[in-house]
Amino acid sequence: MTESSEWLIYRGAGEPHDGMNRLPPPPPWRDFSGRDAVDGGDTAGDGDSGDGSRDRRLGAHRHLAELHRPGAEELEMINAALYLRRPLLVTGSPGAGKSTLAHSVAYELGLGDVLRWSIVSRSTLQDGLYHYDAIARLQDVQIAAQGGYGSAAGSQGAVEAIGSYIRLGPLGSALLPSDTPRVLLIDELDKCDIDLPNDLLNVLEEGEFEIPELQRIADRLPDGEAEVLTADGTKVRVRDGRVRCRAFPFVVLTSNGERDFPAPLMRRCIHLELGRPDHNRLATFVRAHLGDEAARAGDDLIGRFLERSRSELLAADQLLNAIYLTDAAAPPSRDRLADQLIQRLDRPR
């Protein structure tokens, strides 16, 4: 391109134009178009429900990175968690690949879709286990009573319908009984409030939890069972208001290292710290998402990223953004644009 403005879609000209027709396909890790083709998911297959989540995490060109293998310590800790049926606590800087690890294990071992619980400051154990929508149930009972249809409150039909108002969370779904473990990603645990790490202890230790709303009426349910919705959107039957795993899920807890966790939680986890990636690992990361040609073209950016990361807090996805945009758009001001996209995360505000 001869002019630095040729790659711009929005030009700030104040006049409508057809520039959106020139917008190229999204980067593979931001491509959500596959969601249109979702057809019930595949929770027992290769870990891709059809929504593109696997490709966004592992890379659409991951076959080009197949020669790369995790380090010995990383492999040992992952396998230790698998053997011991213990959660894996993965710490490291942003963009180090902590979340991708869960998807990689699920894909290689054929453990189905990854259940993801993204933690925020207001997250509670209840959010991860299940949600009972009592208000919706009350509204439906009132509407049925006023309209003269459906099941009145307290009738057998209304009792059986309680499962329609219960949805298991990611943690609750992971603890459903199955012959093979599900993979659960509890992402950014260090963003939680002070109580959640301790609240998790019993569930992670015992591999079970109770749903009091179902236990109270278990004797009035057919065979003590109620059909509830899972985090995957499928329906399962819960007996006697208790969810109890047969195969303990492979649980990956991630943390950016922003806080310390209580000793009881650390004792129950296998701890893996991901160090700063080297040139080969970053190049493999770029190849998996953008292909071999983009990795070669962005080799100088990888080198500059590594040099800066010695003294600055940077994330690997910033590098992906820079290589994709400078390759797809190819503006003459390549280095300047790359520096704007790769800004230190620990800079003063």
Side-chain angles (χ1 to χ4, degrees), residues 105-328:
V105 172
Y107 173 66
E108 180 173 325
L109 299 183
L111 298 179
D113 294 344
V114 173
L115 293 160
R116 183 188 180 107
W117 182 15
S118 296
I119 301 298
V120 297
S121 59
R122 301 177 304 279
S123 296
T124 65
L125 177 62
Q126 186 73 28
D127 297 329
L129 293 178
Y130 74 96
H131 173 68
Y132 171 54
D133 196 341
I135 295 178
R137 188 185 183 206
L138 177 60
Q139 290 174 337
D140 286 350
V141 169
Q142 291 175 336
I143 292 173
Q146 293 171 0
Y149 64 90
S151 302
S155 69
Q156 187 64 26
V159 170
E160 294 178 15
I162 188 174
S164 302
Y165 306 96
I166 294 177
R167 179 162 189 156
L168 301 181
L171 176 55
S173 299
L175 292 174
L176 286 168
S178 62
D179 294 330
T180 56
R182 293 296 303 271
V183 176
L184 169 65
L185 172 62
I186 303 180
D187 207 14
E188 298 191 338
L189 184 61
D190 48 345
K191 287 183 169 50
C192 70
D193 70 10
I194 194 171
D195 294 322
L196 184 57
N198 287 316
D199 293 343
L200 285 168
L201 297 179
N202 186 66
V203 175
L204 295 179
E205 186 68 24
E206 302 299 331
E208 66 179 29
F209 68 98
E210 299 173 347
I211 303 177
E213 292 84 356
L214 295 181
Q215 286 188 320
R216 286 195 294 266
I217 60 171
D219 59 338
R220 288 182 282 162
L221 294 170
D223 299 323
E225 293 183 339
E227 192 174 65
V228 304
L229 203 62
T230 70
D232 295 316
T234 59
K235 292 184 176 180
V236 297
R237 301 195 71 83
V238 174
R239 185 179 181 87
D240 297 328
R242 183 185 298 272
V243 175
R244 178 182 295 170
C245 72
R246 286 203 301 265
F248 189 79
F250 180 69
V251 182
V252 177
L253 306 99
T254 72
S255 168
N256 292 327
E258 296 177 359
R259 60 175 290 185
D260 294 327
F261 296 115
L265 178 66
M266 298 297 294
R267 179 174 63 84
R268 288 167 170 82
C269 295
I270 304 298
H271 185 202
L272 169 64
E273 183 169 2
L274 296 182
R276 191 165 59 90
D278 57 16
H279 192 285
N280 179 61
R281 183 159 187 159
L282 283 176
T284 301
F285 178 62
V286 173
R287 278 197 299 272
H289 285 275
L290 295 175
D292 222 357
E293 184 177 346
R296 286 194 297 269
D299 190 72
D300 62 321
L301 294 182
I302 296 175
R304 288 168 53 193
F305 178 89
L306 278 173
E307 183 63 31
R308 289 183 54 190
S309 66
R310 299 180 189 277
S311 58
E312 303 175 13
L313 180 61
L314 304 174
D317 50 359
Q318 293 175 297
L319 175 64
L320 275 184
N321 291 337
I323 292 179
Y324 170 81
L325 190 56
T326 56
D327 178 66

